[in-house]
Amino acid sequence: MKIMRSQIRSFLSITALVAASNSIAQNDLLPLEEAEAYSGITESRLIFRENCAVCHGENLDGRGPITILDSARGDGSKALNKGSMPVDLTSDRVTSLSDGEVFGYITWGGRPGLAAAARGKDSSAIMPQFGRLLTEQERWDLVWYMRQEIGAK
């Protein structure tokens, strides 16, 4: 049996509402905006975990599992070298970016991908071009998730 992404989102929304309702007093009502925000962060976190956490880490600090992956060379070196390490999304450099810049980096594969796209060139960036993998809404959800987790300067 295959489960569609929309079914997962519906389940997460229901789960988020149930979790939120369980966390408040029995006689209190959770405002709709709060329930929607809770549901949104849950869905956005899932998109992040599925697509970004392997490189940027669960804490968005650029220390995902790929950073400790051994190379296939068999010499004890790591698969990624210092020049190709994932960006720390909690850094001042990233938090000072506009939402549009973050969206562009996600869409085109980081700074190198966006720069190549702006010149009409193919990108050699290690980061995937998520414009080919995620919907526009999912990419904006990632921007929103980052802002919820790390804020903006």
Side-chain angles (χ1 to χ4, degrees):
M1 178 171 125
K2 291 186 177 183
I3 298 176
M4 295 173 52
R5 186 178 291 258
S6 61
Q7 290 173 309
I8 292 172
R9 287 185 179 142
S10 295
F11 173 76
L12 288 174
S13 295
I14 292 167
T15 303
L17 290 172
V18 169
S21 67
N22 288 337
S23 69
I24 60 176
Q26 189 171 10
N27 295 328
D28 293 342
L29 293 176
L30 186 65
L32 181 59
E33 292 172 354
E34 215 174 302
E36 289 172 346
Y38 189 86
S39 173
I41 193 120
T42 303
E43 185 175 322
S44 299
R45 182 180 292 126
L46 179 62
I47 295 168
F48 181 85
R49 283 184 176 164
E50 288 176 351
N51 297 282
C52 313
V54 68
C55 295
H56 295 287
E58 289 288 331
N59 298 322
L60 291 81
D61 58 5
R63 297 181 183 170
I66 199 163
T67 63
I68 59 171
L69 183 67
D70 290 329
S71 76
R73 294 183 289 273
D75 59 3
S77 64
K78 300 296 178 196
L80 296 179
N81 61 36
K82 295 220 183 277
S84 61
M85 295 302 279
V87 171
D88 177 353
L89 301 176
T90 66
S91 70
D92 288 341
R93 183 178 117 200
V94 175
T95 58
S96 65
L97 295 171
S98 71
D99 288 352
E101 288 173 305
V102 173
F103 181 82
Y105 293 158
I106 292 168
T107 298
W108 295 103
R111 284 180 188 231
L114 182 58
R119 293 188 319 270
K121 305 282 185 187
D122 289 333
S123 174
S124 61
I126 292 174
M127 182 175 163
Q129 293 181 8
F130 284 103
R132 297 178 178 185
L133 302 170
L134 300 174
T135 67
E136 180 178 351
Q137 184 59 54
E138 288 170 327
R139 288 176 277 141
W140 280 116
D141 287 348
L142 287 173
V143 173
W144 181 82
Y145 174 73
M146 281 179 50
R147 294 301 185 209
Q148 298 304 307
E149 292 294 307
I150 62 172
K153 298 254 176 178

